[in-house]
Amino acid sequence: MEKVTQFTGTGMPLKISNVDTDQIIPAVFLKRITKTGFEDGLFANWRQNPDFVLNNPSYQGAEVLVAGSDFGTGSSREHAVWALRDYGFKAVFSSKFADIFLGNSGKQGLIAGVITDADTETLWEHIEANPAAKITVDLPSQEIRVNDVVIRFEIDEYTKWRLTEGLDDIGITLQSEDAIAAYEARRESWKPKTLPAKGV
Amino acid sequence: MSSKPLTLAEKLWRDHLVLKGENGAPDLLYIDLHLIHEVTSPQAFDGLRLAGRDVRRRDLTIATEDHNTPTQDIHLPIVDPTSRAQVQALRDNTREFDIRIHSLGDKNQGIVHVVGPQLGLTMPGLTVVCGDSHTSTHGAFGALAMGIGTSEVEHVLATQTLPLQPFKTMAINVEGTLRKGVSAKDIILSVISKISTGGGQGYVLEYRGSAIRSLSMEGRMTICNMSIEAGARAGIIAPDQVTFDYLQDKPHAPQGADWDQALKDWSELTTDPDAVFDAEVFIDADTLDPFVTWGTNPGQGVSLMDSIPDPDSFDDPSQKAAAIKALAYMDLKAGTKMKDIAVDTVFLGSCTNARIEDLRAAADIIRGQVMAPGIRMMVVPGSQKVRLQAEEEGLDKVFVDFGADWRFAGCSMCLGMNPDQLAPGERAASTSNRNFEGRQGKGARTHLVSPMVAAATAIRGTLSSPADLEQ
């Protein structure tokens, strides 16, 4: 995974709360078996409304999405993160994320930062006042900088470390092979095995 | 032993700890059972291939096909080429990595969360994961069961472990006796409405109390299934005699000395009397009515006896905005009585409510009755095995005589991914779990209901409780 540290881009205000992953990418777009190419599915149903923010030319090329609270609820589909990433977003901010979405973001180098509701409003004001405003997202210092304003975002320390170092979770875990093997040696014998198959 | 009293979820966490995380790193937990389906696994297998990794424990892994599969003409190739390719990818991947799979046509094919329990693979004391948020279903057995993303699927395939951050615990106390016509679905819909779709975020919910204890395993699965709709990491119910009786004759239940040892271990899977939950919620089962949703998230629900709330009645501005948006999408007006809402379609199915007891409950209500004019009803068993059992009991005949469509197993109309979808603007009473915009098809409108309410609604044409039929 590529290291994620700091970038500067423009923002997009998504002034909707409770954005579930069925809205971020409807199920019909989940059928691809590759890991890229999901940008067309991003907010596909809402995009059919010409007034939807993704269709506003002022926000084209935005890399920072600022959304209402409870973002990414519902289905566990990691495709929601892939769609945001493939569309070009590098960071999403909200006052509250669903747990699975948060976990999925961290695996894909998408910064999902938690900010207060007041800071959400502040960012929306700055972006709407000037859609071309440059927003700097600095992961090591956990700061969002726009115009003269500095906003702190929360992200768990471990995810931050992994993102800034560009580390692969599986690689990290495999370093603990001995501990995994030791655990397996003491697992209870009544625990089920799928093989050999029974009940077929 | 003078250790700190623990909740059930905390005990399961402790028992699966491979490594304790240090300096903010997550704990590494062992995974006892990994369920796989076609939608969230292809990229995970690709990742394994790219890294030259193998599946660590194919004997703790099992796959089935459910999301994309059609529920009729299953002997024919899947029509939609992208759905067909995704199912084929699962077949190819499970063959390459030598993983057990139950494909379309197999009696153990069906919704992944119905298949695990019916095979007896889901049991108390396990960690269970699947690339599907409704994995919380398996918590009904006293297992720690969580939905995961595709990267985590790959992680579990490669290592049989997951790095996880600790959770908080919430007790959902449901005391009392459910009235006739009220079921597990109504309990969970009322819980979600009470704590909201974000209320469970970061928590494992433990359902407790006399009303929970008196539920069957299938009712308990319905409750745990929708924990995710409250935003929770997982839902859990302590195992008891009901759990053990359910498991005893299942194909993969422990045998002989293993069964005795399992019973001993399982009987310790309870929350210690002095353990403290981070939060508690109380629900009175005695006064609970059938519960239904009016909006576009599962927290937007009311008693079937009530009317659609006025958006102005919400103090929270974002809740108010969400209500206004939901009513516009649903084409409904505040103040309308829930029972005055007419539907076009009734869907009985999904991992929430497509087990044999759900089908029996609905069949008991419609037996000998006539469907309301203009209604379409689809009945989709949760697995092929449920379908076969229902046919043995003659339930299929009850549904067909009533005019309902009797289908093969799959996720079906719960999500707009296979041929079973609502048309734009169509309104459904659905026993599934999500009423999101477009969930059951683009522009489709969903009211989440219990199987009994679904059946009564099919008879009357408007959202109805079984009690309405007696008047």
Side-chain angles (χ1 to χ4, degrees):
Chain A
M1 200 162 74
E2 269 184 52
K3 292 184 182 183
V4 181
T5 50
Q6 191 201 83
F7 71 91
T8 300
T10 58
M12 183 185 290
L14 182 66
K15 299 173 85 171
I16 304 173
S17 64
N18 263 300
V19 176
D20 58 76
T21 54
D22 273 81
Q23 306 316 317
I24 298 174
I25 182 163
V28 288
F29 291 93
L30 307 185
K31 298 181 186 182
R32 214 171 262 127
I33 55 177
T34 58
K35 214 166 179 172
T36 54
F38 289 92
E39 62 274 13
D40 294 349
L42 184 67
F43 297 115
N45 290 344
W46 287 352
R47 266 157 96 172
Q48 300 194 344
N49 171 1
D51 297 331
F52 182 58
V53 65
L54 240 70
N55 295 324
N56 185 333
S58 314
Y59 301 120
Q60 292 316 300
E63 293 178 325
V64 180
L65 185 67
V66 183
S69 66
D70 290 302
F71 188 82
T73 55
S75 154
S76 64
R77 57 190 70 165
E78 195 162 311
H79 311 65
V81 174
W82 301 339
L84 287 162
R85 182 201 59 195
D86 291 351
Y87 189 82
F89 288 111
K90 294 180 174 172
V92 185
F93 296 102
S94 168
S95 63
K96 207 170 184 185
F97 289 96
D99 285 320
I100 299 178
F101 180 87
L102 212 52
N104 288 343
S105 299
K107 313 282 186 216
Q108 295 300 326
L110 179 74
I111 297 173
V114 178
I115 56 178
T116 63
D117 283 319
D119 285 339
T120 304
E121 295 284 347
T122 304
L123 281 175
W124 283 345
E125 281 165 24
H126 280 273
I127 295 168
E128 287 181 329
N130 177 16
K134 293 289 180 199
I135 302 173
T136 296
V137 176
D138 187 323
L139 182 57
S141 67
Q142 294 178 227
E143 282 177 1
I144 309 163
R145 297 190 284 270
V146 56
N147 302 328
D148 295 336
V149 178
V150 178
I151 288 168
R152 183 178 167 82
F153 65 89
E154 300 303 326
I155 185 165
D156 81 82
E157 280 298 318
Y158 182 73
T159 302
K160 177 175 151 182
W161 171 70
R162 271 184 39 255
L163 288 175
T164 51
E165 297 292 325
L167 292 173
D168 154 43
D169 259 347
I170 298 178
I172 298 171
T173 297
L174 287 175
Q175 292 170 5
S176 305
E177 166 62 34
D178 291 353
I180 299 171
Y183 183 91
E184 285 178 329
R186 63 174 189 270
R187 280 181 83 232
E188 296 83 350
S189 65
W190 55 258
K191 290 208 167 166
K193 288 194 169 68
T194 56
L195 299 171
K198 297 178 190 170
V200 293
Chain B
M1 283 264 291
S2 61
S3 53
K4 175 178 174 271
L6 296 175
T7 64
L8 169 56
E10 289 163 339
K11 286 183 184 178
L12 289 168
W13 190 276
R14 175 199 63 193
D15 293 347
H16 289 86
L17 209 51
V18 172
L19 271 182
K20 184 101 190 87
E22 285 171 11
N23 303 321
D27 293 345
L28 190 66
L29 262 67
Y30 199 79
I31 302 303
D32 290 314
L33 181 63
H34 187 191
L35 310 166
I36 289 177
H37 64 86
E38 77 276 12
V39 181
T40 55
S41 66
Q43 294 87 355
F45 284 109
D46 257 358
L48 288 185
R49 268 190 291 269
L50 279 172
R53 289 171 178 144
D54 200 359
V55 174
R56 183 182 181 90
R57 293 297 298 265
R58 51 179 51 81
D59 61 338
L60 304 182
T61 312
I62 187 169
T64 191
E65 303 161 357
D66 55 6
H67 285 61
N68 275 278
T69 49
T71 57
Q72 54 189 3
D73 298 331
I74 61 167
H75 60 289
L76 299 176
I78 298 174
V79 175
D80 176 49
T82 52
S83 285
R84 191 169 65 234
Q86 203 164 51
V87 170
Q88 191 57 47
L90 180 69
R91 293 176 185 176
D92 293 344
N93 285 325
T94 50
R95 188 179 307 116
E96 179 182 341
F97 289 93
D98 195 19
I99 290 170
R100 175 175 174 185
I101 182 170
H102 294 289
S103 287
L104 210 53
D106 180 322
K107 80 169 175 190
N108 283 305
Q109 178 269 338
I111 308 175
V112 65
H113 308 307
V114 177
V115 171
Q118 87 184 10
L119 282 170
L121 287 166
T122 303
M123 56 179 75
L126 305 186
T127 43
V128 181
V129 298
C130 174
D132 187 282
S133 58
H134 289 111
T135 309
S136 56
T137 309
H138 308 265
F141 290 79
L144 188 60
M146 286 167 292
I148 58 178
T150 299
S151 294
E152 291 170 314
V153 170
E154 182 182 339
H155 197 286
V156 176
L157 287 172
T159 71
Q160 204 57 38
T161 64
L162 261 191
L164 291 166
Q165 296 286 357
F167 49 79
K168 293 177 282 183
T169 57
M170 186 186 296
I172 309 282
N173 301 289
V174 192
E175 295 288 351
T177 309
L178 292 177
R179 293 183 288 195
K180 193 166 168 252
V182 184
S183 67
K185 183 67 165 282
D186 305 304
I187 294 179
I188 190 61
L189 284 174
S190 75
V191 168
I192 299 162
S193 162
K194 186 158 184 161
I195 70 175
S196 91
T197 55
Q201 202 213 327
Y203 289 93
V204 172
L205 313 183
E206 182 180 333
Y207 303 95
R208 302 155 61 81
S210 55
I212 301 295
R213 295 262 75 85
S214 61
L215 289 174
S216 69
M217 282 318 295
E218 301 200 347
R220 295 177 189 187
M221 283 189 253
T222 298
I223 294 208
C224 287
N225 171 274
M226 288 191 73
S227 302
I228 187 70
E229 271 63 54
R233 297 266 293 272
I236 199 165
I237 294 173
D240 58 14
Q241 198 57 45
V242 175
T243 322
F244 311 148
D245 290 347
Y246 177 93
L247 271 165
Q248 193 147 28
D249 60 348
K250 295 287 180 288
H252 281 274
Q255 301 295 320
D258 274 343
W259 175 258
D260 297 338
Q261 184 59 45
L263 278 184
K264 211 162 144 243
D265 291 352
W266 294 346
S267 61
E268 287 166 26
L269 293 175
T270 55
T271 287
D272 291 330
D274 300 332
V276 179
F277 289 93
D278 298 301
E280 291 216 51
V281 170
F282 297 87
I283 302 277
D284 181 5
D286 290 328
T287 57
L288 199 65
D289 288 320
F291 224 81
V292 292
T293 62
W294 51 266
T296 54
N297 77 55
Q300 291 173 324
V302 289
S303 155
L304 180 58
M305 315 305 157
D306 284 347
S307 303
I308 298 173
D310 189 330
D312 285 333
S313 66
F314 295 100
D315 295 334
D316 179 327
S318 82
Q319 292 235 14
K320 180 180 163 181
I324 292 169
K325 191 167 179 291
L327 290 182
Y329 180 84
M330 294 294 288
D331 192 26
L332 291 171
K333 290 197 170 44
T336 304
K337 288 195 174 107
M338 292 310 294
K339 286 191 181 176
D340 287 345
I341 297 173
V343 304
D344 307 299
T345 294
V346 173
F347 172 59
L348 177 59
S350 87
C351 58
T352 313
N353 281 128
R355 298 180 178 82
I356 191 69
E357 290 177 11
D358 299 313
L359 302 190
R360 284 179 194 145
D364 283 346
I365 289 166
I366 65 170
R367 191 173 278 115
Q369 298 269 6
V370 178
M371 198 178 328
I375 298 272
R376 149 172 90 133
M377 182 176 187
M378 262 179 69
V379 184
V380 185
S383 71
Q384 265 302 95
K385 201 169 172 206
V386 170
R387 180 182 154 104
L388 292 172
Q389 186 174 348
E391 289 178 349
E392 228 175 81
E393 297 179 17
L395 304 184
D396 58 321
K397 203 167 170 323
V398 175
F399 289 118
V400 171
D401 287 350
F402 182 67
D405 238 355
W406 176 244
R407 296 295 185 99
F408 289 91
C411 297
S412 184
M413 200 180 263
C414 177
L415 85 172
M417 201 161 180
N418 52 66
D420 304 341
Q421 302 200 18
L422 294 175
E426 208 177 340
R427 185 181 302 280
S430 175
T431 65
S432 56
N433 41 58
R434 289 186 176 140
N435 51 343
F436 297 151
E437 287 184 23
R439 171 78 179 183
Q440 296 191 287
K442 213 168 94 187
R445 299 175 175 130
T446 305
H447 296 276
L448 300 178
V449 302
S450 74
M452 285 190 281
V453 168
T457 300
I459 295 164
R460 284 167 52 95
T462 49
L463 293 176
S464 303
S465 77
D468 295 329
L469 301 170
E470 290 159 17
Q471 287 159 14

